[in-house]
C-alpha cells in the first residue's frame, strides 16, 4: 500500500516466504522499488560506446549492468519456480502466479520487470510445457499473448512505445530496447565523416539516452518497503543454466514420441 508521504516506510519480518505465499501485487511493488532505485542511478555516460557490452569498458556502466543482472536473475528465478514444481496442478498454480505478478508489474508501469516475466514464460524450457500452459486457462494465455504483442520489436517497437507514452509516471522503461537501439546506432554509423565528427550519430545517440533517462525525473514511486519480501528478491541465488532448466523441463513433461 502507498506510504502516507515522504520517504517509504518499512515493514519488517524475520520469516522467509515461498513464491506462492507472496501476494503478486506486493511482490511487484517490491520489485519495482528495487528496479526504480537502480534505474535512477544510471548516468548518461554509462550508455556511451556500448560500455556495458565491452569487457574493458564495463567499469563505466555499473548501474546499467546491475539492472541487466536483476532482469536476468528475476527471469531465471521465475523459470526455476515453475520447473522445480513437480506436480502438474501445483505447477499450473505457479505459472498463474507468475502471470499475476506480470499483470501487477504492468499496473505499476514497470515495463522492465514485465519483460523479465515474459522472458521467463518464453524461455524454451518453460514454453514447451504445453500441459501446464493449457491448465492455466484461456485468460492467462490471452494475457501472455498480449504481452508478446506489446513487446513485438517489429515496426520499431511501436506497441511498446505507445504504451509507455500513455503510462502515467512513474515508470521503469524496458532497458533492453534502448541498449539495442544504441548498439544499432553505434555499429551502423561511423564516428567520423570526411575527417570530421559525425554529429548526426551524436544526435541519434543523445535522443535515445534522453528518451530513456527522462523517466528518472518527476513523480516517484511512493510505496512501502516490506523487508521480508525485499529480502527474497535481493537473495534469489545463483541462476541455473538454460541446459539445466531444459533438463528439468523434460522431467516435468517428457517429449511425446513421434509416430513412425
Amino acid at each position: 500500500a502507498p506510504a502516507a508521504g515522504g520517504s517509504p516506510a518499512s515493514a519488517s519480518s524475520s520469516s522467509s516466504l515461498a513464491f506462492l505465499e507472496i501476494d503478486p501485487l506486493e511482490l511487484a511493488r517490491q520489485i519495482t522499488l528495487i528496479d526504480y532505485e537502480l534505474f535512477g542511478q544510471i548516468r548518461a555516460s554509462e550508455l556511451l560506446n556500448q560500455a556495458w557490452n565491452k569487457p574493458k569498458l564495463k567499469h563505466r556502466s555499473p548501474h546499467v549492468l546491475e539492472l541487466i543482472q536483476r532482469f536476468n536473475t528475476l527471469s531465471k528465478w521465475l523459470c526455476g519456480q515453475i520447473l522445480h514444481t513437480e506436480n502438474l496442478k501445483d505447477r499450473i498454480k505457479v505459472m498463474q502466479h507468475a502471470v499475476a505478478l506480470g499483470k501487477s508489474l504492468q499496473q505499476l508501469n514497470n515495463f522492465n520487470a514485465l519483460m523479465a516475466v515474459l522472458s521467463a514464460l518464453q524461455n524454451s524450457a518453460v514454453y514447451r510445457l504445453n500441459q501446464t500452459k493449457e491448465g492455466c486457462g484461456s485468460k492467462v494465455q490471452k494475457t501472455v499473448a498480449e504481452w508478446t504483442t506489446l513487446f513485438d520489436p517489429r515496426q520499431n517497437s511501436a506497441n511498446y512505445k505507445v504504451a509507455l507514452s500513455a503510462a502515467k509516471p512513474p515508470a521503469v522503461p524496458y532497458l533492453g530496447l534502448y541498449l539495442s537501439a544504441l548498439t544499432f546506432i553505434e555499429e551502423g554509423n561511423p564516428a567520423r565523416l570526411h575527417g570530421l565528427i559525425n554529429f548526426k550519430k551524436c544526435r541519434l545517440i543523445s535522443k535515445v539516452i534522453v528518451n530513456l533517462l527522462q523517466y528518472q525525473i518527476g513523480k516517484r514511486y511512493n510505496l512501502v518497503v516490506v523487508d521480508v519480501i525485499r529480502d527474497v528478491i535481493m537473495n534469489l541465488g545463483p541462476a541455473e543454466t538454460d541446459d539445466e532448466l531444459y533438463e528439468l523441463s523434460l522431467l516435468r513433461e517428457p517429449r511425446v514420441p513421434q509416430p513412425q
Side-chain angles (χ1 to χ4, degrees), residues 69 71-80 84 236-242 244-245:
Q69 182 60 43
F71 178 102
N72 292 335
T73 300
L74 175 60
S75 182
K76 286 292 181 69
W77 178 67
L78 290 172
C79 287
H84 279 285
L236 296 180
E240 291 161 301
T241 66
D242 285 330
E244 290 169 337
L245 290 173

Side-chain angles (χ1 to χ4, degrees), residues 1 28 36 53 55 126 201 217 246:
Y36 193 70
N53 207 26
V126 174
K201 178 178 181 179
I217 303 168
Y246 205 84

Side-chain angles (χ1 to χ4, degrees), residues 111 150 156-167 215:
F111 293 93
L150 172 64
N156 199 23
S157 300
N159 295 331
Y160 162 77
K161 290 178 179 178
V162 169
L164 180 62
S165 64
Y215 292 96

Side-chain angles (χ1 to χ4, degrees), residues 16-25 27-28 31 74 77-83 85 90-102 105 117 120-121 229 232-233 236:
S16 60
L17 296 172
F19 179 53
L20 285 177
E21 294 177 317
I22 307 174
D23 177 76
L25 176 56
L27 180 57
I31 290 171
L74 175 60
W77 178 67
L78 290 172
C79 287
Q81 293 298 310
I82 295 168
L83 293 166
T85 307
D90 291 339
R91 192 162 61 250
I92 289 168
K93 291 179 183 177
V94 172
M95 185 175 285
Q96 290 172 331
H97 207 67
V99 173
L101 169 62
L105 289 165
V117 172
L121 296 171
I229 300 178
V232 171
I233 300 165
L236 296 180

Side-chain angles (χ1 to χ4, degrees), residues 28-205:
R29 287 168 175 162
Q30 301 309 307
I31 290 171
T32 298
L33 281 172
I34 293 168
D35 286 356
Y36 193 70
E37 288 170 15
L38 292 175
F39 172 66
Q41 294 174 38
I42 295 174
R43 297 293 171 258
S45 59
E46 296 189 42
L47 298 163
L48 299 175
N49 306 118
Q50 299 181 68
W52 66 89
N53 207 26
K54 297 178 179 179
K56 292 184 178 180
L57 299 180
K58 284 187 174 183
H59 64 280
R60 299 180 183 177
S61 303
H63 304 108
V64 169
L65 289 170
E66 195 169 357
L67 191 53
I68 291 172
Q69 182 60 43
R70 294 266 7 128
F71 178 102
N72 292 335
T73 300
L74 175 60
S75 182
K76 286 292 181 69
W77 178 67
L78 290 172
C79 287
Q81 293 298 310
I82 295 168
L83 293 166
H84 279 285
T85 307
E86 296 183 23
N87 180 272
L88 176 60
K89 289 184 178 180
D90 291 339
R91 192 162 61 250
I92 289 168
K93 291 179 183 177
V94 172
M95 185 175 285
Q96 290 172 331
H97 207 67
V99 173
L101 169 62
K103 291 173 74 172
S104 295
L105 289 165
Q106 190 170 17
Q107 292 171 12
L108 291 165
N109 298 326
N110 187 345
F111 293 93
N112 197 67
L114 174 58
M115 184 59 194
V117 172
L118 181 60
S119 177
L121 296 171
Q122 291 184 329
N123 183 290
S124 59
V126 174
Y127 189 79
R128 64 172 297 278
L129 298 176
N130 291 323
Q131 295 177 42
T132 309
K133 291 192 295 183
E134 289 171 7
C136 287
S138 58
K139 287 186 178 180
V140 165
Q141 294 183 56
K142 181 182 178 183
T143 297
V144 176
E146 289 172 351
W147 293 339
T148 303
T149 300
L150 172 64
F151 289 106
D152 190 335
R154 290 176 294 185
Q155 297 183 330
N156 199 23
S157 300
N159 295 331
Y160 162 77
K161 290 178 179 178
V162 169
L164 180 62
S165 64
K168 294 182 180 179
V172 184
Y174 168 41
L175 180 62
L177 176 67
Y178 301 88
L179 298 184
S180 295
L182 289 169
T183 298
F184 181 80
I185 295 168
E186 289 278 10
E187 295 182 351
N189 298 274
R192 304 183 76 87
L193 285 175
H194 311 297
L196 302 174
I197 294 173
N198 185 352
F199 282 104
K200 180 181 178 181
K201 178 178 181 179
C202 295
R203 285 193 293 270
L204 290 171
I205 291 171

